[in-house]
Amino acid sequence: MNVSSRETTHSVTHFILLGFPSSPEIQLLYFRLFSAAYILTLTGNTAIVCAVRWDQRLHTPMYIFLGNFSFLEICYVTTTVPNMLANFLSSSKSISFVSCFAQFYFFFSLGCDEGFYLCVMAFDRYLAICRPLRYSRIMTEELYTGLVIFGWSGGFILFLTPVVLISRLPFCNPNIIDHFICDPVPLMMLSCSEDTTTQLIYSTFNAVFMTGSFLFILCSYALVILAVVRMPSAASKRKAFSTCASHLAVVILFFGSVMVMYVSPGSGHPVKEQKIVTLFYAVITPLCNPIIYSLRNNEMKAALRKVVGAYFISVFLPFDILSII
C-alpha cells in the first residue's frame, strides 16, 4: 500500500494553471493590466521602504515596522504575479511539481507574515497610545528588533507543516488547477484519495491563526479607540484616529478577503469566486496599502516627497551639469 501510494504521488510531474481562460486578445489585456498593477505595487512599496530608510524622522518603531511590512508586500506579490503574467503569454501554462509547492510555501508563508506584522503594528499602536509614558521603556531596540525577526520568520516556520502534509498526498491525472496560483484548496481536490485528516489539520491551522490574529488586532484597536476618546486634545485625537484608521483599513482588506477563502476551505466556494477573492488579497491589497498608509500621514507624505525629489535630481541633474560643461 505504501509503495503504491508513493508511485501515485510521483505520477504527476507538473500542473497546469488555467488562470483566466479567454481569447488571446483578452489575455493580452489582462497582461497589460496586471503588469501595470505589479509595477505600481513595486513602486509604491519601494518608495515607502526608501522613505523609512533615508528619513531620520521615520527611524521609530512604527515606521520601521511599516518599512518592513512594505518590503514584505514586495516579496509577497513577486511570488505569484510574475508567473501569472508569464502564463498570460504562454500556451502551455504549466508549472513543475516542485515550483508549484515552492510558490505555495512562499506565498502562504509570506501571507502569514503579513498577519503577524499587522499584529505587531497593532501592538505598537496600543503601547504608543494607551501606555505613552512607558512606551520608550517597553519598546526598546531589542524588543522591536525581535518583533521584526518574528514578523519575517513566523510564517515560514508555521507553514512548513501544511505544505509538507499536502505535498505528501497522492496526486494523479488530471493535473489541471483551475486557478492562477498553486492554491492549497484546488491542490487537495486533485489528490487521488480524500485525506480528511490533512484537510482537518489545514482548516484548523487556518482558523486558529486567522481568528486569533484578527481578534488580537481588534482587541488592541478597541483599547486604542477607548484611549483616544478620553484624550482631552482634539488635535491628538485626530492624529491618533488618522493613524489607526489607515491600519484598520489594511487589516479589514487583508483579513476580510482571506477569511472568506481559508477558514473553511471545504465549504465549496465557486471557482470564479475563489479566483476573484484570491486576486483581491494577492494583487489589489498590496497595491492599495502604500496609498492607504501615506494618504493621511503627513510625516510619510513629506518623506515620500523627499524620496521622489531625490530621484528626479539624481536622474536629471547630471544631464544639467553636462550641458553646462
Side-chain angles (χ1 to χ4, degrees):
M1 183 70 181
N2 289 336
V3 174
S4 170
S5 220
R6 281 183 197 135
E7 286 174 359
T8 308
T9 302
H10 291 289
S11 66
V12 171
T13 58
H14 68 281
F15 296 99
I16 306 295
L17 292 173
L18 286 184
F20 301 93
S22 56
S23 66
E25 292 78 15
I26 300 298
Q27 291 281 299
L28 189 58
L29 176 62
Y30 286 154
F31 174 80
R32 289 169 180 165
L33 286 174
F34 288 112
S35 293
Y38 182 55
I39 291 167
L40 288 172
T41 301
L42 294 183
T43 304
N45 284 289
T46 302
I48 289 179
V49 171
C50 293
V52 173
R53 177 67 181 85
W54 293 339
D55 196 319
Q56 293 291 329
R57 294 173 302 173
L58 302 186
H59 289 185
T60 62
M62 183 180 85
Y63 290 111
I64 289 169
F65 295 142
L66 178 56
N68 277 273
F69 184 75
S70 294
F71 187 59
L72 182 63
E73 292 279 47
I74 293 169
C75 299
Y76 182 62
V77 296
T78 302
T79 58
T80 55
V81 176
N83 185 70
M84 180 175 68
L85 294 175
N87 282 344
F88 284 137
L89 304 178
S90 169
S91 56
S92 65
K93 303 185 188 300
S94 67
I95 183 170
S96 70
F97 187 94
V98 173
S99 297
C100 184
F101 276 90
Q103 185 191 73
F104 169 22
Y105 177 59
F106 282 100
F107 179 69
F108 287 93
S109 296
L110 290 167
C112 282
D113 285 341
E114 285 204 16
F116 286 135
Y117 258 108
L118 291 171
C119 289
V120 167
M121 292 161 81
F123 174 65
D124 176 67
R125 288 303 83 204
Y126 164 76
L127 287 181
I129 294 171
C130 299
R131 300 286 185 270
L133 299 179
R134 299 175 59 192
Y135 179 78
S136 58
R137 281 186 294 165
I138 297 173
M139 189 57 74
T140 60
E141 185 176 351
E142 290 78 15
L143 178 59
Y144 73 69
T145 301
L147 290 172
V148 166
I149 294 169
F150 166 72
W152 277 100
S153 61
F156 286 96
I157 295 168
L158 281 178
F159 232 87
L160 272 174
T161 302
V163 170
V164 170
L165 286 174
I166 296 172
S167 68
R168 295 183 67 180
L169 291 174
F171 291 100
C172 50
N173 290 321
N175 62 342
I176 298 170
I177 302 174
D178 193 1
H179 214 301
F180 62 91
I181 64 170
C182 289
D183 189 274
V185 178
L187 273 172
M188 284 189 282
M189 290 171 65
L190 287 180
S191 174
C192 302
S193 62
E194 187 176 353
D195 190 333
T196 53
T197 304
T198 298
Q199 289 181 9
L200 180 62
I201 291 171
Y202 179 73
S203 298
T204 304
F205 172 88
N206 281 332
V208 170
F209 166 71
M210 292 178 201
T211 307
S213 302
F214 191 61
L215 287 176
F216 177 86
I217 292 166
L218 285 186
C219 290
S220 298
Y221 281 118
L223 294 171
V224 166
I225 290 167
L226 288 174
V228 170
V229 169
R230 297 193 188 108
M231 286 180 178
S233 168
S236 298
K237 282 184 181 180
R238 279 196 301 272
K239 185 175 180 181
F241 269 127
S242 178
T243 303
C244 293
S246 61
H247 287 191
L248 279 172
V250 173
V251 167
I252 292 166
L253 278 174
F254 179 74
F255 278 101
S257 56
V258 171
M259 280 183 168
V260 168
M261 287 297 300
Y262 297 110
V263 171
S264 54
S267 58
H269 302 287
V271 172
K272 189 175 180 180
E273 181 187 317
Q274 289 180 25
K275 291 180 186 179
I276 291 170
V277 174
T278 305
L279 196 65
F280 193 81
Y281 67 76
V283 180
I284 306 302
T285 302
L287 174 64
C288 294
N289 285 352
I291 300 168
I292 293 169
Y293 278 119
S294 61
L295 193 62
R296 300 182 66 184
N297 190 316
N298 292 327
E299 290 177 334
M300 181 55 70
K301 282 193 284 190
L304 288 173
R305 286 192 196 100
K306 285 175 66 176
V307 169
V308 173
Y311 170 76
F312 279 106
I313 288 171
S314 66
V315 170
F316 295 111
L317 188 58
F319 293 100
D320 292 340
I321 293 171
L322 286 173
S323 63
I324 291 169
I325 294 172

